[in-house]
Amino acid sequence: MGETAEDFVLVINSGSSSIKYQLLDPESSVVAASGIVERIGEDDSVIQHRADGESTERREPIADHTAGLRLVFEMFAATGHDLRREGVRAVGHRVVHGGEVFYRPTLIDDDVAAAISDLSALAPLHNPANLAGIESARALLPDAPQVAVFDTAFFHGLPAAAKTYAIDAKVAAAHGIRKYGFHGTSHEYVSGRVAELLGRDPGELNQIVFHLGNGASASAIRGGRPVDTSMGLTPLEGLVMGTRPGDLDPGIVAHLARSAHLDIDQIDTLLNRDSGIKGLSGVNDFRELRRLIETGDEAARLAYDVYVHRLRRYLGAYLIELGGVDAITFTAGVGENSPQVRADALAGLARFGIEVDPAANTAENRAARRISPPDAPVAVLVVPTNEELAIARAARRVVDRLD
Ligand code: ADP
């Protein structure tokens, strides 16, 4: 390959027990290598590294994120990229919660790292893990600029009526309670791609984007700016997800505490890990759910119906909020790969100009594409998301400004 490591951005998405990474050129989108370290802190940790079309796997105990990242660098060196010697243009970190403080890609120094740590109260499951990745990368690549790209950033400017929860305003202000929204990097990237694909100015489009992965969220975007989104203070709100319920009567929390005698951490676990599709059907992977449905499993059928019902509820709400829509787009694991979900979410809406062409919807095609009939008033699209590329580009822009 022609490029040297210095042209590349290393993108790190650090979770509580995993590190996903990609080394890519933000200009050409060429991915030099990618991989994932899983089960950090356990005895059976594993790293899978992909470079030049070849996959390598290593299983050994990995004590913490720094040890994990050190192993990542070893794998890079073994596949022709000695990042610690050659350097990289930047390291881009996905950070889940930027709170009110961060709404732009931000160069990380000690103060920024401390502020990300302070935001852990808002995202206790995510920000500490993101920070572990940041601290490890800063220690191992001390000369590389490190940039934080926040999942909440795109939604920073949500209109007050959309972001305000109707609770005691003083309590809300004291505790940073508002809708922040997540998956912002994906919603921004995908809505930008939609405008490109349609050959339209983003400023003149009303869009609804469904990011349907393990986590799932919807956004309503007018003229390139979000006017509403389904996730809230935390990623629990909104659509039904793999293991999260999405919208709930908040009274359920108090009821569980009083009647089921669950403490707050148990309730948090129930809602984050044991609810959603998994809570209803026992599985959280959509492919397994479909298999169960095909065997006649009624719980799986109900889980699917609840999932689609919620999608349609948000679709209806956002159609009205936007006063009409030009494009509806599906992205992420389920959105990109399940024609059934797309068809069911939009069934029976021809009177609103919303139609899915069955052949286009089910065609084996991994590219960004339109799946509505060419003459339908509303464009329905499938657009693969690429959060790593968006983070790499954002990091690159920050670093270019330093030169
Ligand atoms: P994450 O939120 O972890 O980034 P992804 O965007 O990778 O998640 O999406 C994961 C989800 O996508 C899983 O529920 C998985 O079952 C689903 N998925 C992946 N491939 C397919 C497929 N071919 N058909 C249906 N669902 C799929």
Side-chain angles (χ1 to χ4, degrees):
M1 111 183 67
E3 292 110 324
T4 66
E6 286 163 55
D7 295 319
F8 285 92
V9 174
L10 176 65
V11 174
I12 294 180
N13 181 355
S14 174
S16 55
S17 65
S18 70
I19 304 172
K20 287 190 207 157
Y21 60 91
Q22 234 180 59
L23 182 70
L24 73 165
D25 181 340
E27 254 162 57
S28 65
S29 316
V30 166
V31 177
S34 63
I36 181 165
V37 187
E38 287 179 287
R39 296 195 287 280
I40 293 172
E42 295 175 37
D43 291 339
D44 58 346
S45 325
V46 56
I47 176 168
Q48 278 180 315
H49 182 82
R50 244 189 118 65
D52 303 321
E54 301 249 334
S55 223
T56 325
E57 187 178 291
R58 246 170 82 175
R59 283 173 190 276
E60 60 187 62
I62 298 171
D64 53 25
H65 286 73
T66 304
L69 210 53
R70 199 172 282 127
L71 194 55
V72 170
F73 289 137
E74 271 180 41
M75 301 294 259
F76 271 116
T79 51
H81 292 286
D82 190 343
L83 301 187
R84 299 183 72 180
R85 196 164 49 77
E86 296 167 25
V88 289
R89 190 88 177 90
V91 183
H93 295 272
R94 175 181 185 223
V95 180
V96 167
H97 218 305
E100 294 275 9
V101 192
F102 297 112
Y103 48 91
R104 290 199 183 90
T106 303
L107 190 68
I108 299 169
D109 57 18
D110 289 344
D111 291 342
V112 169
I116 291 171
S117 175
D118 289 345
L119 289 166
S120 294
L122 286 171
L125 301 177
H126 296 100
N127 274 35
N130 302 154
L131 201 60
I134 289 171
E135 297 299 10
S136 305
R138 291 178 82 198
L140 291 168
L141 286 178
D143 296 330
Q146 315 262 340
V147 178
V149 180
F150 298 91
D151 235 29
T152 47
F154 182 53
F155 299 115
H156 177 75
L158 281 179
K163 74 177 181 194
T164 304
Y165 290 109
I167 64 168
D168 184 321
K170 287 189 280 303
V171 173
H175 297 281
I177 294 173
R178 53 158 277 194
K179 182 184 276 287
Y180 291 94
F182 299 87
H183 292 148
T185 305
S186 179
H187 285 277
E188 183 174 21
Y189 172 82
V190 167
S191 56
R193 287 282 291 133
V194 168
E196 274 172 28
L197 289 162
L198 297 177
R200 302 271 302 272
D201 175 355
E204 62 185 33
L205 287 178
N206 281 355
Q207 300 196 41
I208 296 173
V209 175
F210 287 109
H211 174 111
L212 309 178
N214 275 317
S217 61
S219 65
I221 300 169
R222 179 185 292 127
R225 290 171 190 273
V227 294
D228 209 346
T229 192
S230 59
M231 283 178 166
L233 173 85
T234 75
L236 272 179
E237 191 182 349
L239 302 177
V240 176
M241 315 183 204
T243 62
R244 301 183 199 127
D247 295 338
L248 281 179
D249 175 353
I252 291 171
V253 173
H255 180 68
L256 281 171
R258 291 194 198 103
S259 296
H261 305 295
L262 298 183
D263 68 26
I264 206 67
D265 291 321
Q266 290 169 317
I267 294 174
D268 218 22
T269 302
L270 176 77
L271 297 181
N272 277 290
R273 300 199 195 286
D274 299 322
S275 299
I277 295 287
K278 181 180 171 201
L280 289 174
S281 73
V283 299
N284 71 327
D285 189 296
F286 242 78
R287 287 160 290 195
E288 286 177 48
L289 185 74
R290 287 235 62 85
R291 260 179 247 128
L292 285 179
I293 291 172
E294 279 155 26
T295 66
D297 187 305
E298 283 182 21
R301 178 81 236 170
L302 177 63
Y304 180 81
D305 291 346
V306 173
Y307 183 91
V308 170
H309 179 264
R310 188 74 54 80
L311 285 180
R312 291 172 67 88
R313 184 188 281 173
Y314 271 89
L315 175 69
Y318 289 174
L319 261 177
I320 299 302
E321 281 188 46
L322 290 166
V325 68
D326 301 296
I328 299 171
T329 307
F330 292 88
T331 190
V334 177
E336 292 167 30
N337 295 300
S338 176
Q340 186 84 51
V341 165
R342 298 191 295 258
D344 291 340
L346 304 185
L349 301 178
R351 75 172 65 178
F352 299 101
I354 299 169
E355 282 180 80
V356 171
D357 177 72
N361 186 32
T362 52
E364 285 289 327
N365 187 345
R366 307 202 65 78
R369 62 200 184 275
R370 187 174 170 141
I371 58 166
S372 47
D375 55 347
V378 176
V380 180
L381 300 102
V382 179
V383 174
T385 192
N386 194 340
E387 288 159 291
E388 291 79 9
L389 178 60
I391 290 171
R393 286 181 177 164
R396 171 73 199 265
R397 279 196 301 277
V398 169
V399 172
D400 282 351
R401 261 183 255 132
L402 300 175
D403 290 345

